[in-house]
Amino acid sequence: SLEHPLPKELLRYRVLSKLKSTYIDALPELVDTKNHRLHTSFNQTITQTGRLSSSRPNLQNIPIKTAEGREIRKAFIGEKNNYIMSADYSQIELRIMAHLSKDEELISAFENDRDVHTHTASLIFDVDEKDVTPEMRSNAKTVNFGIIYGMSSFGLSRSLGIDPASAQEFINSYFERYPRVKTYMEDRIEEARDTGYVTTLFNRRRYIPEIKTGSVKEQQQAERIAINTPIQGSSADLIKIAMINISREMKTKKLSSMMTLQVHDELVFEVPEEELKSMQELVKRNMEEAVKLSIPIKVSVKYGKNWLESKGSI
């Protein structure tokens, strides 16, 4: 047989040694000796899209995808038996895309609380939603997010493990079903060419001069940035507004809970048991009402004794 077990073991060794060196060995060293807590630094001005970034240690890249990685999340616990509560925006970038593009099909999927990946799969594979297989849904999810990032047929073909021609068919089929999304993308590219920048929903600008002056490769990258920045940048603005409003209300109500982390579309809190109910309501309401979109914003709140458990449902 051509399959030798050694490469697989080497890759596994690489994964485990990275977990060990990046997290298991490094994180305990960074714990504050006075209060025994781990403190990260959040940076306001490092990312180009306006998202916060986290450093020394980076707590936004604590693994979640692999079983071994998830074990590391278990180590994040609250003080004095407090709970860890996590509040997550549901598919916020796709919702912002629906709002910005005003695409009727995408808007109606969210208004009717459909599973947007299943819905997209039913449209591009031309089957009923009930006949969508997990593989079809997974492919549609890749297309949904790929479109937001301005992915080319080549990029999509690599992600899905199919040939570029089939990937292009997927993209064409997507744009046939969601025509306003295509218009939105073309408009953003044109806007960036005309003005040299694109803006988020809250009028924050990102300048992209290379869309006119760069090499072909730089121009293509600039087009992807022009499509994605208004979406990801608006999502970054939205969660910051929510954080300010939550913090304000927590102060007013003199709650002893703490907002501890922001991980892109998720906020993590440390909450004493007696405040769980009020915090759940307060956080969900403020995140969902931070800004009014043309479609509902949905937030799921979960909690547990550690950060991994807080992914489990309430």
Side-chain angles (χ1 to χ4, degrees):
S1 136
L2 288 173
E3 287 195 12
H4 195 283
L6 181 63
K8 192 175 174 189
E9 290 302 318
L10 283 174
L11 287 171
R12 182 164 162 70
Y13 174 80
R14 186 171 153 228
V15 167
L16 294 177
S17 66
K18 188 172 189 309
L19 287 177
K20 183 176 184 302
S21 62
T22 312
Y23 306 108
I24 297 165
D25 295 344
L27 292 179
E29 295 293 313
L30 295 168
V31 170
D32 186 305
T33 49
K34 288 196 189 71
N35 64 12
H36 309 296
R37 296 183 73 100
L38 185 62
H39 299 279
T40 183
S41 295
F42 281 106
N43 314 296
Q44 278 275 27
T45 54
I46 287 184
T47 68
Q48 297 284 327
T49 51
R51 277 180 164 184
L52 291 176
S53 71
S54 155
S55 53
R56 272 202 56 83
N58 180 354
L59 294 181
Q60 293 179 329
N61 69 351
I62 304 297
I64 188 75
K65 291 199 171 118
T66 63
E68 291 92 351
R70 283 195 288 274
E71 290 296 308
I72 288 165
R73 288 194 170 223
K74 275 192 192 166
F76 288 81
I77 56 170
E79 227 176 352
K80 303 190 188 83
N81 224 8
N82 286 344
Y83 283 82
I84 299 292
M85 188 173 102
S86 132
D88 222 326
Y89 277 115
S90 154
Q91 298 169 335
I92 190 65
E93 292 186 350
L94 286 170
R95 288 172 197 267
I96 289 171
M97 164 75 102
H99 174 84
L100 290 172
S101 67
K102 301 182 176 61
D103 186 273
E104 285 102 353
E105 187 68 59
L106 203 48
I107 285 172
S108 91
F110 283 121
E111 279 180 339
N112 298 312
D113 205 14
R114 285 199 177 108
D115 176 322
V116 75
H117 302 313
T118 303
H119 184 65
T120 298
S122 81
L123 294 177
I124 62 180
F125 292 107
D126 205 13
V127 295
D128 277 352
E129 285 195 19
K130 63 180 189 329
D131 298 325
V132 169
T133 64
E135 191 191 3
M136 283 177 182
R137 184 183 182 278
S138 167
N139 285 353
K141 185 175 178 178
T142 305
V143 177
N144 271 336
F145 287 118
I147 296 288
I148 290 180
Y149 290 99
M151 192 189 266
S152 65
S153 55
F154 176 68
L156 186 62
S157 72
R158 285 182 60 181
S159 291
L160 295 180
I162 57 177
D163 61 284
S166 308
Q168 189 56 54
E169 274 176 40
F170 268 140
I171 292 173
N172 294 349
S173 169
Y174 181 98
F175 287 140
E176 269 170 43
R177 304 302 194 276
Y178 297 123
R180 297 289 284 272
V181 173
K182 188 172 176 48
T183 313
Y184 160 82
M185 290 164 70
E186 287 164 350
D187 287 352
R188 287 299 74 73
I189 291 169
E190 200 175 319
E191 177 193 353
R193 283 218 179 93
D194 287 349
T195 62
Y197 60 82
V198 286
T199 54
T200 69
L201 271 171
F202 305 91
N203 286 324
R204 202 162 45 77
R205 289 182 186 181
R206 178 173 181 183
Y207 286 90
I208 333 173
E210 60 276 18
I211 199 156
K212 285 195 289 210
T213 58
S215 64
V216 172
K217 197 170 177 192
E218 283 174 330
Q219 285 188 19
Q220 286 171 340
Q221 174 60 11
E223 287 178 4
R224 284 195 285 276
I225 290 170
I227 292 163
N228 176 249
T229 292
I231 298 167
Q232 203 182 86
S234 298
S235 150
D237 295 346
L238 169 74
I239 200 162
K240 283 181 187 171
I241 292 167
M243 287 165 79
I244 292 165
N245 295 345
I246 289 167
S247 167
R248 201 173 280 152
E249 194 173 331
M250 282 168 70
K251 277 199 190 84
T252 310
K253 292 191 167 159
K254 298 191 165 54
L255 295 170
S256 56
S257 296
M258 282 188 293
M259 191 179 336
T260 55
L261 281 182
Q262 188 262 29
V263 185
H264 308 319
D265 300 332
E266 173 189 13
L267 293 178
V268 182
F269 300 83
E270 187 176 316
V271 183
E273 189 162 3
E274 63 276 11
E275 290 182 6
L276 273 175
K277 203 153 180 53
S278 52
M279 276 295 289
Q280 223 174 303
E281 186 280 322
L282 181 159
V283 169
K284 188 175 165 72
R285 171 170 42 79
N286 277 297
M287 284 175 77
E288 289 181 344
E289 294 175 5
V291 65
K292 196 95 185 83
L293 295 185
S294 53
I295 45 160
I297 294 175
K298 281 184 73 173
V299 169
S300 62
V301 183
K302 292 156 184 179
Y303 64 81
K305 281 295 184 184
N306 61 53
W307 193 10
L308 178 69
E309 237 177 74
S310 78
K311 285 291 178 193
S313 60
I314 286 175

